[in-house]
Amino acid sequence: MSDLEFFDTTGIDRVLGVVAHPDDMEYGASCAVAAWTAAGIDVSYLLLTAGEAGIRDMDPAEVAPLRRREQEAACAEVGVESLTILDFPDGLVEADHALRKAIARQIRSYRPQAIITLPWKLEVSFGLNHVDHRNVGLAVIDAIRDADNPWVFPELREEEDLEAWKADWLLVSGDEPTCAVDVTGEPLERGIASLSAHEVYLDALPGHPAPREMLEGMTAAAGERAGVASAVGFRSIQM
């Protein structure tokens, strides 16, 4: 018996993924993105860092453009045409006003109905959460409210002509799910290809499971709860 209902995309035509690093969207969420883009929903990614500190044996100056190329390839696999990568410092991201403003700017500019991010908890299913994931998640919560308040960061309206915008949903990937997206078949395959596009980065991670093995296992578990072969779970929060 299924215990996860499917996320209702009625009225949603734009979804914004806001994460810290290249590859963050590819651990499950990109499978859902592939399903959405195939259904005509526009999806855009905002990465707060270039992931330049992510490969121990390579200079950050080499890693940043490499990871951008891999992320661009990952986006192409799931139908994402809009990718923005900012220059907050990888590993040192703080949930401060500068981060909130950068996210609020993108929300007001892109005007999504739903926003995806990662958990802000210290402890998550795979262990202790990365500091950048925690701080970006916290900043996303605040930035959604900031984007909807014309009196917070008023310079976005006065100087950049970005009016307030209310996003209706926050979808948290990698948290205890409250809803699911059916990714059976082609969306799962495209999601696997998107994670596989991070080839050099994944090769630098000792013992990292193969993308197919990881994503097939994750989506099968969520699919069982949703009553389908493969699904991605999200914690959905109505804002």
Side-chain angles (χ1 to χ4, degrees), residues 18-170:
V18 183
V19 292
H21 314 109
D23 88 293
D24 284 349
M25 285 292 297
E26 278 65 67
Y27 287 91
S30 68
C31 299
V33 169
W36 289 331
T37 58
I41 296 173
D42 190 76
V43 182
S44 177
Y45 289 178
L46 172 64
L47 279 55
L48 279 306
T49 83
E52 69 277 6
I55 300 179
R56 178 179 292 272
D57 298 325
M58 289 182 65
D59 189 288
E62 298 178 62
V63 173
L66 164 68
R67 298 200 69 189
R68 172 181 282 275
R69 290 192 297 272
E70 291 190 336
Q71 184 61 62
E72 289 171 345
C75 287
E77 294 288 354
V78 295
V80 173
E81 298 180 357
S82 173
L83 168 66
T84 301
I85 302 178
L86 301 184
D87 59 357
F88 288 87
D90 185 12
L92 300 172
V93 176
E94 298 182 7
D96 57 13
H97 292 172
L99 189 68
R100 285 168 51 184
K101 182 177 179 180
I103 299 169
R105 175 184 288 111
Q106 196 76 357
I107 294 170
R108 290 191 182 190
S109 176
Y110 182 61
R111 300 165 73 85
Q113 290 86 22
I115 294 172
I116 301 170
T117 196
L118 299 186
W120 47 89
K121 299 175 180 177
L122 177 59
E123 295 188 57
V124 288
S125 60
F126 55 82
L128 295 177
N129 200 4
H130 192 291
V131 61
D132 288 353
H133 299 167
R134 302 195 318 260
N135 285 337
V136 169
L138 287 172
V140 166
I141 296 170
D142 294 327
I144 291 174
R145 293 169 173 154
D146 297 338
D148 187 36
N149 189 335
W151 306 115
V152 176
F153 305 128
E155 62 273 21
L156 293 178
R157 182 183 73 256
E158 296 165 359
E159 300 172 12
E160 301 181 39
D161 200 28
L162 294 174
E163 296 294 338
W165 175 260
K166 183 182 186 301
D168 299 314
W169 291 98
L170 174 60

Side-chain angles (χ1 to χ4, degrees), residues 6-21:
F6 292 114
F7 180 67
D8 184 2
T9 58
T10 302
I12 294 177
D13 54 36
R14 292 180 303 280
V15 176
L16 175 65
V18 183
V19 292
H21 314 109

Side-chain angles (χ1 to χ4, degrees), residues 1-6 175-180 219-228 231 233:
M1 181 176 177
S2 61
D3 68 336
L4 279 182
E5 295 184 358
F6 292 114
D175 203 351
E176 180 59 35
T178 60
C179 67
T219 58
E224 184 175 1
R225 292 186 59 187
V228 294

